[in-house]
């Protein structure tokens, strides 16, 4: 469907500055829409973060046994989203989550992408995907992008701090390499601009996915090891890959995106500070698209989970680096 004439908001200076040829891994990130930075965190520390995530899961006083698949069910877990993520109970601000976000190899990678170390970080989720759960059948793909068609060019680079093995049979990250470069063409030729929303999330239907397929794009399941950092352009079509029946790996990842503080408005910074004080979660974005996700965990029947927590079990150390990344103090 041809689009109506529409003026697309101009890019900001900060976004334009990251374009160009670098002669390193950034060229692949910008051209293919994703890249895996190997060993951004030392493997032994990544495994420690996974164990701390497991300790958090076991802190709710249920019979959950990470070595016994028969206990991997909803009644033994804190409230989890249909996407296998945990957002409630202050988990986004647990010390192990912040320790992972503060890892030099992670922060420095995003500083290299943006050309500045004056960054903000997202307050994003923990994902723990148990394979072969009898009470939760594998979810069908939900291909989407995390950027509005009203934003053109690269506005956000998302990240997965990978804490577990992700092989062909395991839960992992799925995407269409090269789809970011075709983003504008899709919006302008396959959609009506009158339908565009400013919301930085858009799912694609099966029919729409055929258009991407017609361009020769095929899904890739990203392989990764503990300590790897998976990066992708928010315009890249992606979704979570479910484990197959052959997997026995508990996928464990932390979502983290970083972007220059200078891109954030005063309103966005104020909201970010408010969310931090509430121990809340926001979105995949660090400098924009900031809104508070529900704070209180509700059980499937709608009642408040009696295990609900208003703050982390183990609070992070309020270092200067953390406070700058959180947007609490200026650089």
């Amino acid at each position: 469907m041809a689009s109506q004439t529409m003026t697309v908001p101009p890019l900001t200076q900060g976004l334009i500055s990251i374009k160009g040829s670098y002669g390193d891994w950034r060229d692949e990130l910008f051209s293919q829409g994703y890249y895996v930075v190997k060993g951004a965190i030392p493997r032994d520390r990544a495994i420690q973060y996974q164990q701390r995530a497991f300790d958090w899961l076991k802190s709710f006083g249920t019979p959950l046994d990470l070595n016994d698949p028969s206990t991997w069910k909803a009644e033994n877990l804190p409230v989890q989203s249909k996407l296998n993520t945990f957002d409630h109970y202050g988990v986004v601000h647990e010390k192990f989550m912040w320790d992972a976000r503060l890892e030099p190899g992670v922060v420095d990678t995003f500083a290299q992408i943006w050309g500045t170390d004056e960054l903000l970080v997202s307050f994003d989720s923990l994902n723990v995907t148990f394979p072969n759960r009898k009470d939760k059948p594998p979810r069908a793909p939900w291909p989407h992008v995390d950027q509005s068609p009203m934003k053109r060019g690269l506005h956000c680079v998302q990240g997965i701090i990978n804490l577990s093995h992700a092989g062909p049979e395991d839960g992992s990250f799925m995407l269409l390499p090269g789809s970011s470069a075709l983003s504008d063409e899709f919006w302008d030729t396959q959609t009506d601009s009158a339908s565009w929303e400013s919301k930085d999330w858009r799912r694609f239907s099966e029919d729409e996915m055929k258009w991407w397929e017609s361009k020769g794009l095929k899904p890739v399941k990203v392989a990764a090891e503990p300590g790897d950092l998976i990066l992708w352009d928010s315009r890249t079509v992606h979704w979570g890959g479910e484990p197959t029946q052959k997997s026995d790996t508990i996928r464990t990842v932390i979502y983290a995106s970083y972007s220059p503080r200078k891109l954030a408005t005063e309103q966005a910074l104020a909201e970010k500070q408010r969310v931090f004080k509430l121990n809340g979660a926001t979105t995949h974005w660090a400098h924009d698209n900031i809104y508070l996700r529900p704070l209180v965990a509700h059980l499937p029947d709608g009642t408040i989970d009696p295990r609900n927590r208003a703050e982390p079990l183990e609070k992070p150390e309020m270092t200067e680096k953390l406070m700058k990344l959180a947007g609490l103090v200026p650089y």
Side-chain angles (χ1 to χ4, degrees), residues 129-302:
T129 301
F130 292 89
N132 297 307
R133 272 181 60 178
K134 301 193 184 322
D135 67 333
K136 191 175 186 294
R139 179 176 168 82
W142 65 100
H144 67 280
V145 292
D146 290 295
Q147 184 167 309
S148 165
M150 298 172 70
K151 289 188 173 107
R152 297 301 172 100
L154 191 154
H155 281 248
C156 178
V157 176
Q158 296 171 236
I160 285 175
I161 300 173
N162 199 67
L163 306 179
S164 53
H165 172 72
E169 307 296 339
D170 303 316
S172 186
F173 180 62
M174 300 287 299
L175 53 76
L176 294 184
S179 52
S180 57
L182 295 173
S183 177
D184 290 356
E185 182 180 349
F186 174 83
W187 299 125
D188 292 340
T189 67
Q190 303 300 307
T191 68
D192 184 340
S193 61
S195 70
W196 295 351
E197 299 181 65
S198 59
K199 179 172 63 175
D200 289 304
W201 192 89
R202 169 61 151 75
R203 181 171 176 170
F204 299 102
S205 68
E206 289 186 16
D207 284 342
E208 288 175 329
M209 288 301 290
K210 292 176 182 176
W211 182 87
W212 299 99
E213 184 179 346
S214 75
K215 295 294 182 178
L217 303 189
K218 297 181 180 180
V220 167
K221 193 172 193 178
V222 179
E225 294 299 325
D228 291 350
L229 175 63
I230 304 173
L231 304 168
W232 71 99
D233 184 327
S234 285
R235 298 170 296 165
T236 300
V237 180
H238 63 280
W239 62 95
E242 291 280 348
T244 72
Q245 292 183 347
K246 296 180 180 179
S247 177
D248 59 3
T249 297
I250 302 174
R251 185 192 186 204
T252 314
V253 306
I254 295 170
Y255 299 102
S257 173
Y258 304 67
S259 51
R261 180 187 172 97
K262 67 181 180 181
L263 299 181
T265 65
E266 289 303 315
Q267 181 181 2
L269 287 170
E271 181 64 4
K272 199 170 181 73
Q273 293 163 9
R274 184 180 79 90
V275 173
F276 183 91
K277 292 175 182 177
L278 293 172
N279 298 304
T282 59
T283 68
H284 297 312
W285 288 57
H287 71 280
D288 193 9
N289 189 26
I290 309 295
Y291 65 86
L292 177 64
R293 294 183 187 177
L295 284 172
V296 179
H298 287 84
L299 298 174
D301 63 5

